[in-house]
Amino acid sequence: MALKIFGHRSPDTDATASAIVWAWYLSQQGIESTPYVLGTPNTEALYVLKHWGFDVPEVLVSVSAEDEVVIVDTNNPEELFENINETGIVQIIDHHKLVGGLETAGPIDITIKPLASTASVMYLMMGVDEVSDLPNEIAGLMLSCIISDTLEFRSPTTTEDDKAMAQHLAHKLEIDINEYATKMFEAKSDISAFSDEELIKMDSKKYEASGNKYRVSVLETTAPNIVLDRKDSILSKIEDVKIKEGLDAVLLFVVDILKEEATLFVSNDMVKQVAESKFNATVTSDLVVLPGIVSRKKQIIPVL
């Protein structure tokens, strides 16, 4: 039975493309592997797959004790299947903090590095020489992951290693990073076809902090008004999601990639309190701009 390789729910470019990259890499070593997604990838990821000639991986709806799996771009069981610990987890490749909660029957191969993307971690695992010989379409996926998760090096999660890797891949592919990144971000900004609830959950993760349960959602875009113009209906749906999921608050941040700032939807008094006490904001309406906030991992979750 082939290894099943997948990332977190609400798959973004890194979770989607890294699963494909690693399935390809293992297959080259004679290990039968199949990439999957745990939902519909976002519009940027769909653009990246089409650009480099890949079909969207099959959506994996369940796993069982018979499955052997490789988990990429997360180590958080809350972002995976409820029965994930019943599977045979053979490898984890990630760049997020160690959350805890995953259990295995025996020792496994775990690689977690303080880099901006899972593809960056895979780059190090392969080594420069192997990366130099990669097929262009695989190298293109890896470059896309780094650009996406660093917001073209704007994010505070970006390291000098990420930049060097991206530049090496771009040189190999003979493409201009800024031109390609612009096309990726334009694709990510095209969210007109999504419902309010889909927007709220598109790039969203649940967290517990200071005794409160949050869904923290981040929409990265070069055209924030596409989202902000739907303010009233989105605010209403935020409250519906909060009640349905038994949360204390849903925090939706619309990140303007070009201005390097975020607009937080202030849906109730608790979100207002979070904005004022955690981000030192002055809230006078149901939207508040937070200058310099672009990263959930570095600038939002630690503050909460």
Side-chain angles (χ1 to χ4, degrees):
M1 182 182 296
L3 277 175
K4 294 180 176 178
I5 305 181
F6 50 82
H8 51 75
R9 299 187 187 277
S10 303
D12 55 11
T13 297
D14 198 25
T16 303
S18 288
I20 296 173
V21 168
W22 206 244
W24 175 87
Y25 185 67
L26 292 180
S27 296
Q28 296 303 299
Q29 301 173 48
I31 303 171
E32 189 179 357
S33 306
T34 305
Y36 293 91
V37 289
L38 303 191
T40 302
N42 66 22
T43 51
E44 180 190 80
L46 294 175
Y47 168 80
V48 165
L49 294 181
K50 183 177 180 180
H51 183 87
W52 295 106
F54 289 91
D55 293 329
V56 179
E58 179 183 345
V59 176
L60 189 62
V61 296
S62 65
V63 289
S64 69
E66 286 71 43
D67 290 321
E68 289 194 327
V69 307
V70 174
I71 299 168
V72 301
D73 200 33
T74 185
N75 67 85
N76 186 350
E78 294 293 325
E79 298 177 356
L80 299 163
F81 297 102
E82 289 185 3
N83 65 330
I84 190 64
N85 286 335
E86 297 174 10
T87 67
I89 304 173
V90 300
Q91 189 175 32
I92 299 171
I93 306 173
D94 193 17
H95 67 117
H96 296 95
K97 71 173 185 177
L98 186 63
V99 175
L102 291 178
E103 298 179 7
T104 63
I108 67 168
D109 185 350
I110 300 178
T111 305
I112 301 176
K113 297 285 187 182
L115 296 168
S117 76
T118 299
S120 301
V121 179
M122 292 177 177
Y123 182 112
L124 287 186
M125 294 172 73
M126 293 179 188
V128 174
D129 291 340
E130 276 196 90
V131 170
S132 296
D133 292 334
L134 288 175
N136 280 356
E137 61 270 21
I138 296 296
L141 290 184
M142 295 180 73
L143 174 61
S144 303
C145 293
I146 299 172
I147 290 173
S148 177
D149 271 21
T150 65
L151 295 180
E152 195 190 356
F153 315 133
R154 295 175 175 88
S155 171
T157 62
T158 308
T159 69
E160 291 303 315
D161 286 337
D162 292 298
K163 291 180 182 178
M165 293 173 194
Q167 289 162 357
H168 174 212
L169 290 164
H171 178 74
K172 167 183 169 58
L173 296 166
E174 297 181 345
I175 64 175
D176 181 273
I177 288 178
N178 179 256
E179 289 180 5
Y180 179 57
T182 298
K183 293 177 182 177
M184 285 178 56
F185 297 153
E186 287 174 351
K188 181 182 287 187
S189 300
D190 183 14
I191 46 82
S192 56
F194 292 91
S195 69
D196 292 337
E197 185 166 353
E198 287 172 331
L199 288 180
I200 294 166
K201 296 182 177 181
M202 183 176 293
D203 186 359
S204 180
K205 298 183 180 182
K206 292 182 181 179
Y207 294 91
E208 289 193 29
S210 303
N212 295 314
K213 295 180 179 180
Y214 298 102
R215 177 181 282 279
V216 181
S217 304
V218 176
L219 286 176
E220 298 162 346
T221 177
T222 56
N225 284 340
I226 295 177
V227 182
L228 301 181
D229 287 346
R230 293 165 58 175
K231 179 190 69 173
D232 292 342
S233 61
I234 289 175
L235 283 168
S236 176
K237 183 56 65 175
I238 282 175
E239 286 301 286
D240 291 344
V241 170
K242 186 198 77 166
I243 294 169
K244 183 165 61 176
E245 297 186 350
L247 302 169
D248 293 294
V250 174
L251 306 178
L252 173 60
F253 297 81
V254 179
V255 172
D256 186 325
I257 297 171
L258 301 181
K259 290 186 177 180
E260 298 185 38
E261 65 183 22
T263 299
L264 173 63
F265 279 65
V266 184
S267 56
N268 57 32
D269 287 340
M270 183 171 184
V271 178
K272 181 175 184 288
Q273 180 182 355
V274 167
E276 292 178 338
S277 64
K278 302 296 185 181
F279 295 97
N280 298 316
T282 300
V283 180
T284 59
S285 69
D286 43 21
L287 295 175
V288 61
V289 176
L290 305 175
I293 300 296
V294 297
S295 171
R296 174 169 47 207
K297 184 167 68 173
K298 285 283 189 179
Q299 297 172 302
I300 297 174
I301 300 306
V303 173
L304 295 177

